[in-house]
Amino acid sequence: MVRYAAVEGGGTTWQCGLLENSIDQFLERVVIPTTTPEETLGKVKEWLLAKNVDAIGVASFGPIDAKKGSPTYGFITSTPKPGWRNTNVLQLIGAYDDFRGIPILFDTDVNAPALAEFTVQEEESKATGAPVPASSAYITIGTGIGVGLVINHGSVKGLLHPEAGHVLVQPRPGDESFPGTCPFHGRCVEGMCSNGAMSTRLGITHSQLPELPDDHEIWDICAYYIAQLCMNLVLIASPETIRIGGGVMKRTVLYEKTRKITLQLLNGYIVSPLLTEEGIDHFIGPSRWGDHAGIVGAAFLAKLAHDQQTAK
């Protein structure tokens, strides 16, 4: 029996989960409020020490350094979150002392679920004899907007890791006066349709967004910018599926709106059965794990870490 610990780091909370021989059947889960790095990660470490685990996966908000061999591997780096810039996550959870010798993988909270989604798709394709995919994208839309990419069967890490939530977008017709809320880029995807951007537009709090009806114009505005992100991913990375999760996507009407606008924006330029009215539902859709995609991604990292060490 192999025991996996999954650690998902977010700007509001960190979650820890315990599993045995599974990436999505949790025996235990705890939620730790995000305060200071020392306090928050100290509680994560305390929880881990009590679980006698065989492998640990950490999927964190970013930007992070996920390149093994880098002097800042395991760090949250240039985050705008106060107090968290240049935080050595792996050191604070005990990776280099209490858990020395236990396999640990560290990645973003979007690369990890992207890799988990892709791997399950790959296994399902092999089982059914369908063409085996080589790529996938995962988008989360919430307080921030993040994108994880799997290309040629591996999560993308290069100069850093994908930060496609910060690509600049064209204003929706009639939306030219909104400057965006991103402190770095203004009118990037995150600055135009994160929950903070939407609540700022309307002069309401984040908690009031769920009270709005499905036919409120804000959801058309939001879908327009998500669709631009999807279009850019198609043109730059050519993923074979795009899965979208996060708190904003609980407004499920956004999937239909995003699919329709994505096709309009692409305007037939990329020819694929998936990029048609008949195929787009298979191309753009929700994560199979819904709100749990992030921590499932962390569990997958733990499994991958264990499998890699076992294979040596």
Side-chain angles (χ1 to χ4, degrees), residues 2-310:
V2 182
R3 290 166 67 88
Y4 303 125
V7 178
E8 179 196 8
T12 304
T13 63
W14 284 65
Q15 293 190 58
C16 302
L18 180 67
L19 311 93
E20 289 182 350
N21 290 352
S22 168
I23 65 166
D24 57 9
Q25 300 298 311
F26 289 88
L27 305 176
E28 179 184 336
R29 286 178 65 173
V30 298
V31 177
I32 299 168
T34 304
T35 56
T36 65
E38 292 74 19
E39 180 179 21
T40 304
L41 298 177
K43 290 179 179 178
V44 171
K45 179 178 177 179
E46 182 180 351
W47 182 87
L48 288 169
L49 285 170
K51 301 306 168 188
N52 191 30
V53 298
D54 299 299
I56 301 170
V58 182
S60 174
F61 73 92
I64 67 168
D65 186 343
K67 293 177 74 172
K68 285 190 173 182
S70 166
T72 54
Y73 172 69
F75 279 58
I76 293 171
T77 57
S78 57
T79 178
K81 185 167 180 61
W84 283 79
R85 183 181 288 260
N86 298 323
T87 293
N88 190 338
V89 174
L90 292 186
Q91 182 180 63
L92 287 173
I93 68 168
Y96 304 126
D97 42 63
D98 296 277
F99 301 109
R100 183 181 294 275
I102 292 178
I104 299 176
L105 279 179
F106 179 75
D107 211 331
T108 69
D109 57 356
V110 280
N111 258 355
L115 195 55
E117 289 272 0
F118 168 79
T119 302
V120 173
Q121 292 170 17
E122 185 180 42
E123 291 171 350
E124 289 175 346
S125 296
K126 289 177 180 178
T128 60
V132 177
S135 60
S136 183
Y138 174 78
I139 304 171
T140 183
I141 314 283
T143 304
I145 295 180
V147 176
L149 281 174
V150 174
I151 303 295
N152 293 330
H153 307 274
S155 64
V156 172
K157 303 182 191 71
L159 184 66
L160 185 68
H161 49 74
E163 280 287 347
H166 289 270
V167 297
L168 297 177
V169 288
Q170 290 186 337
R172 180 175 183 259
D175 195 34
E176 292 86 356
S177 63
F178 186 68
T181 59
C182 175
F184 292 93
H185 312 113
R187 287 181 178 152
C188 62
V189 184
E190 184 173 303
M192 298 302 277
C193 68
S194 63
N195 60 19
M198 289 190 289
S199 58
T200 297
R201 290 171 180 277
L202 301 174
I204 63 176
T205 64
H206 297 183
S207 61
Q208 291 175 294
L209 287 171
E211 300 171 9
L212 301 177
D214 280 354
D215 60 359
H216 196 288
E217 186 187 19
I218 195 65
W219 307 121
D220 295 308
I221 294 171
C222 183
Y224 185 81
Y225 295 113
I226 300 173
Q228 284 196 60
L229 176 56
C230 290
M231 178 188 72
N232 284 329
L233 289 173
V234 169
L235 296 175
I236 295 170
S238 198
E240 289 156 280
T241 58
I242 296 176
R243 295 292 172 255
I244 314 177
V248 169
M249 298 306 294
K250 291 179 180 178
R251 183 68 57 161
T252 55
V253 69
L254 284 170
Y255 288 103
E256 179 182 353
K257 291 177 181 292
T258 298
R259 291 171 182 137
K260 181 178 179 180
I261 299 170
T262 299
L263 289 179
Q264 290 172 350
L265 293 173
L266 284 168
N267 198 27
Y269 181 68
I270 303 296
V271 178
S272 166
L274 291 172
L275 297 177
T276 63
E277 291 184 0
E278 296 75 25
I280 193 69
D281 285 6
H282 300 287
F283 183 65
I284 297 174
S287 164
R288 69 184 66 222
W289 295 294
D291 287 347
H292 309 301
I295 196 163
V296 170
F300 180 80
L301 291 180
K303 180 181 183 301
L304 185 60
H306 180 268
D307 291 349
Q308 287 175 348
Q309 179 165 291
T310 303

